[in-house]
Amino acid sequence: MREPDERKGFAGIVGHRDVVEHLQNAIRTGKVSHAYIIGGEKGSGKRLIAAIFAMTLQCQEHGTEPCQVCTSCRKMLSGNHPDVIYVTHEKPNTVSIDDIREQLVDDISIKPYESRYKIYIVDDASMMSPQAQNALLKTIEEPPAYAVILLLAENPDILLPTITSRCVTLRLKPVSDEEMKDYLMHQMHVPDYQAEIEASFAQGNIGKAKKAAESRDFMESVEYCVRIMKKAKQMEIYELVDAVKQLSSDKKSIYDKLDLFEMWFRDVLLFKATKEVDGLIFKEEINAISERAATSSYEGIQKIIEAIHVAADRLRANVNFDLTMELMFLTIKEN
């Protein structure tokens, strides 16, 4: 079975109203394109939007929302609709010419088994090799009347211009913190304070927010990071080294922790500038935030935020973990 969000149709999509309206309008007016590129970062909702669009196009009620109860919708929800094909790839970072030929190009001439359309959803489309894109080109130029091809791409700009010029490109923008918080509180039943932190942490990415809300460890990470930030200025060098050791025991989540450190110092900066609690993410830590704001200059806080960015860049470039963290903590301590 599919995720619960798919069962809510277009109405259940958080944010992306412009993209939803475009697709629903295309269905309403009968002007559905043969090829779309849906662009957005991992976790932004590309696959969910593509699935709901496909389900609505195939729905036997022919509305602008899937009815969820007809034979076609039920097949779509159970993941075995014969006329909706997910193009997969075995190599982790490449969609090869064989993947595109075998699953799409050679298959598209076979008419739909039972529906009005035959829909192909190509996940990770920005990983298509140039050869795979060229193999797809002729099909996109002269598709059968019943074909709809949905290319889901984290970075649509790296697709060949010959492909992009023949597709309707829809880009997913970041979801607002307000919409994100509302979704977390009312759909995922997350408490107010936690929803505020998770919405800000997700930076407009609904998948990231859901993952944080579903994780048992996320709020533990938040508490750990807050604890370190509260005492960072008073920490002795040996305590900094201990903190580095603790972080290095879970390198997978280090980028999340760096994001949380940055959120903390953005709160410090905001409070220093406004003296207001309302806009803060970590409202419950107002005493520690105001104390830090009083002892650090604007320039010092900017240096810290910059040091956190530099640490993330160094880790991505495989610079020594312990050294990178120690340099960052020293900047936090000294400023």
Side-chain angles (χ1 to χ4, degrees):
M1 293 292 284
R2 298 289 175 164
E3 289 182 23
D5 283 352
E6 207 167 295
R7 295 184 158 275
K8 295 171 187 163
F10 283 121
I13 291 169
V14 185
H16 313 311
R17 293 330 297 167
D18 55 337
V19 170
V20 168
E21 281 168 20
H22 180 102
L23 294 172
Q24 286 187 307
N25 197 43
I27 296 165
R28 190 182 296 110
T29 58
K31 292 178 179 172
V32 175
S33 173
H34 288 300
Y36 290 89
I37 295 167
I38 301 175
E41 63 181 21
K42 187 176 180 180
S44 57
K46 301 184 296 296
R47 196 178 165 98
L48 178 65
I49 288 171
I52 293 169
F53 184 44
M55 182 156 54
T56 311
L57 286 174
Q58 305 292 42
C59 177
Q60 289 157 337
E61 293 297 317
H62 306 301
T64 56
E65 284 280 1
C67 76
Q68 314 281 347
V69 293
C70 71
T71 309
S72 176
C73 282
R74 288 205 308 273
K75 283 184 178 177
M76 190 72 197
L77 287 167
S78 67
N80 56 15
H81 198 299
D83 296 319
V84 178
I85 297 103
Y86 284 88
V87 176
T88 58
H89 58 103
E90 284 182 17
K91 290 179 185 170
N93 297 315
T94 309
V95 179
S96 71
I97 186 169
D98 290 339
D99 296 325
I100 292 297
R101 272 192 181 143
E102 288 165 18
Q103 297 172 65
L104 197 161
V105 175
D106 295 346
D107 183 78
I108 207 163
S109 58
I110 303 165
K111 288 184 178 175
Y113 293 100
E114 57 188 51
S115 301
R116 182 180 173 188
Y117 295 99
K118 196 164 186 186
I119 301 168
Y120 295 84
I121 298 174
V122 184
D123 217 347
D124 301 324
S126 27
M127 292 182 190
M128 281 193 292
S129 66
Q131 294 86 349
Q133 292 182 60
N134 284 322
L136 181 61
L137 186 57
K138 193 169 188 325
T139 304
I140 287 181
E141 282 175 331
E142 299 170 17
Y146 50 75
V148 177
I149 297 166
L150 306 174
L151 304 176
L152 315 185
E154 280 185 44
N155 185 358
D157 297 329
I158 64 174
L159 291 169
L160 295 175
T162 45
I163 295 283
T164 56
S165 64
R166 288 164 176 80
C167 299
V168 173
T169 299
L170 304 170
R171 291 177 188 266
L172 303 186
K173 301 185 187 88
V175 176
S176 72
D177 282 4
E178 291 74 29
E179 287 176 297
M180 195 90 75
K181 189 179 168 187
D182 184 72
Y183 173 81
L184 291 169
M185 287 174 67
H186 297 109
Q187 301 297 324
M188 299 195 75
H189 311 294
V190 168
D192 187 352
Y193 175 67
Q194 186 179 332
E196 183 101 48
I197 292 169
E198 285 166 355
S200 297
F201 168 77
Q203 297 177 325
N205 185 310
I206 191 70
K208 197 174 174 184
K210 282 174 71 177
K211 197 174 171 187
E214 287 164 354
S215 163
R216 290 178 187 173
D217 305 330
F218 180 74
M219 286 311 286
E220 282 177 22
S221 283
V222 170
E223 283 162 24
Y224 172 76
C225 291
V226 166
R227 204 161 57 243
I228 285 189
M229 291 301 101
K230 279 164 84 168
K231 61 179 188 177
K233 206 164 177 66
Q234 288 77 40
M235 282 170 114
E236 299 294 336
I237 296 298
Y238 75 88
E239 290 177 297
L240 286 175
V241 172
D242 284 346
V244 169
K245 280 180 185 162
Q246 174 101 25
L247 286 171
S248 67
S249 67
D250 184 18
K251 287 180 185 170
K252 272 187 187 170
S253 68
I254 188 61
Y255 297 108
D256 290 352
K257 289 188 173 75
L258 292 176
D259 284 347
L260 290 166
F261 290 158
E262 184 180 343
M263 282 162 60
W264 173 270
F265 280 104
R266 289 203 178 280
D267 267 8
V268 173
L269 191 61
L270 185 63
F271 185 78
K272 189 171 182 68
T274 65
K275 299 289 184 288
E276 288 177 8
V277 182
D278 277 358
L280 302 183
I281 298 158
F282 299 102
K283 291 183 179 71
E284 293 187 6
E285 304 295 340
I286 181 57
N287 291 342
I289 285 168
S290 64
E291 195 179 307
R292 184 72 204 227
T295 55
S296 291
S297 65
Y298 286 111
E299 189 188 3
I301 301 165
Q302 291 286 12
K303 273 184 183 169
I304 290 168
I305 291 170
E306 207 173 292
I308 295 167
H309 288 175
V310 167
D313 290 343
R314 282 177 176 158
L315 292 179
R316 287 189 185 97
N318 290 320
V319 175
N320 180 277
F321 185 92
D322 289 6
L323 179 64
T324 299
M325 290 290 103
E326 280 170 31
L327 287 169
M328 182 191 78
F329 277 129
L330 284 169
T331 305
I332 290 171
K333 183 175 164 57
E334 287 167 6
N335 286 280

